[in-house]
Amino acid sequence: MEIKEVRNVLKAPAPHMVGDGFRVHNFFPSGYEIDMSPFFLMDYGSKIEFSARKEPRGVGVHPHRGFETVTIAYQGAVAHHDSSGNSGIIYPGDVQWMTAASGILHKEYHEQAYSLAGGPFQMVQLWVNLPAKDKMSTPKYQAVKQADMAKFILPNEGGVIEIIAGNYQGIKGNASTFTPIELYNARLNKGAKANFDFNSSYNTGFMIIEGSVKINDSEIAYANNFVHFKNKGELIEMEALENSVILILSGEPIDEPIVQYGPFLMNTEDEINQAISDYNQGRFGYLEE
């Protein structure tokens, strides 16, 4: 076993708004041209204060096909609805894992009580690609609440590893995945160390949500940095230089062609054209604005 070395420590790209409720830094695919398959997109909503407002900010009804959206809340609260009849509220520490697959309509916006009060807001949304054989499977929804999340408690009051998906130290995450994915939140206290062991071929990255960390006793990464690792070696050691929160992503690449058009992520142009046609003909269901 050898050390998985850091390829780059990437600073947050300039932010942009998604709807009027989500200010995000797109680390990939547009911010940096890095291969993080099966993770196709990562929007990081760095900490921002929203003023109180009666009418919640957010994103109106929009379609998805061919992938999954994973929304991880750190501060603030997000409400959502989809055309399969699923709805819910994502509070700090919660995760919403929506499999759009064959097609779904979706809307997401600030939860009413949070909107009325205003306050800090921070989140991550991932787009997880699906293999060709699963792209037209039935949509589904997984809510992973903080209270129910699988956790590994680090020794000596070092903190906790929350396992959203995958397996850490023999503890399995709640979310089921179509391809091998490791997705954790590491909440480390100052001075704590945590070790990770990922397949050398897996695409791996750490999003520093809060604090600062030292990786492999060499590279230092700060809040709002993304640490991108080389596809070589397996072992990563992380030390918290202060109380820190880190989102950890690692997954087996999907070696298939990708064609993206807006909210559709398919394998061929013909499939994109079919998605547009199906959407225009109302085949994604109905969802009220």
Side-chain angles (χ1 to χ4, degrees):
M1 304 282 271
E2 62 178 298
I3 297 295
K4 185 181 282 290
E5 294 179 6
V6 172
R7 188 188 303 270
N8 284 304
V9 177
L10 305 172
K11 293 183 177 179
H16 68 274
M17 293 299 295
V18 177
D20 65 356
F22 304 96
R23 188 198 68 170
V24 301
H25 310 264
N26 182 259
F27 273 89
F28 56 87
S30 62
Y32 294 97
E33 292 183 0
I34 60 175
D35 185 4
M36 278 297 296
S37 175
F39 308 100
F40 176 79
L41 173 149
M42 186 177 75
D43 276 343
Y44 168 57
S46 61
K47 199 181 300 177
I48 185 175
E49 289 277 337
F50 280 107
S51 59
R53 181 169 163 174
K54 189 174 181 180
E55 187 66 29
R57 301 171 175 88
V59 181
V61 175
H62 55 281
H64 292 301
R65 173 178 279 181
F67 63 100
E68 303 178 287
T69 66
V70 181
T71 304
I72 306 160
Y74 295 96
Q75 299 199 57
V78 181
H80 61 92
H81 288 80
D82 68 39
S83 55
S84 290
N86 297 305
S87 65
I89 299 170
I90 314 161
Y91 291 107
D94 294 346
V95 177
Q96 182 227 9
W97 197 300
M98 184 184 76
T99 304
S102 63
I104 208 165
L105 301 179
H106 190 228
K107 62 180 179 179
E108 48 205 327
Y109 43 91
H110 294 182
E111 185 269 334
Q112 185 71 48
Y114 166 76
S115 186
L116 288 170
F121 193 87
Q122 189 178 25
M123 54 79 74
V124 169
Q125 186 170 89
L126 302 167
W127 287 15
V128 179
N129 190 24
L130 290 173
K133 67 182 181 60
D134 297 312
K135 281 191 179 293
M136 293 300 287
S137 59
T138 302
K140 68 175 185 175
Y141 171 81
Q142 302 175 80
V144 186
K145 293 293 185 182
Q146 172 63 215
D148 304 324
M149 199 169 286
K151 298 178 176 74
F152 177 84
I153 307 300
L154 293 167
N156 304 316
E157 298 184 349
V160 61
I161 309 294
E162 300 171 350
I163 305 106
I164 301 166
N167 187 306
Y168 183 80
Q169 301 289 355
I171 298 176
K172 192 174 185 305
N174 302 61
S176 64
T177 64
F178 287 81
T179 59
I181 286 173
E182 305 293 327
L183 187 64
Y184 322 140
N185 272 320
R187 300 181 187 271
L188 305 183
N189 295 323
K190 182 179 179 179
K193 292 184 178 181
N195 297 303
F196 303 91
D197 177 1
F198 298 125
N199 189 297
S200 61
S201 67
Y202 283 19
N203 289 321
T204 302
F206 289 4
M207 182 70 230
I208 316 302
I209 306 295
E210 297 278 357
S212 56
V213 298
K214 183 182 282 189
I215 307 290
N216 297 333
D217 207 28
S218 57
E219 301 277 354
I220 295 179
Y222 299 93
N224 305 334
N225 288 171
F226 183 76
V227 183
H228 186 215
F229 290 87
K230 295 180 180 178
N231 295 93
K232 182 182 178 184
E234 299 83 19
L235 303 177
I236 302 169
E237 181 184 83
M238 178 167 60
E239 178 185 359
L241 303 179
E242 56 190 304
N243 291 353
S244 301
V245 179
I246 307 94
L247 176 65
I248 292 162
L249 306 82
S250 188
E252 182 178 75
I254 297 174
D255 187 19
E256 295 173 350
I258 290 180
V259 181
Q260 183 210 1
Y261 179 82
F264 305 134
L265 192 59
M266 304 302 290
N267 299 105
T268 68
E269 292 282 356
D270 285 348
E271 289 170 344
I272 292 291
N273 292 333
Q274 186 64 55
I276 295 168
S277 174
D278 289 349
Y279 170 65
N280 288 335
Q281 293 180 56
R283 291 178 181 161
F284 283 52
Y286 174 76
L287 183 61
E288 186 176 343
E289 282 285 356

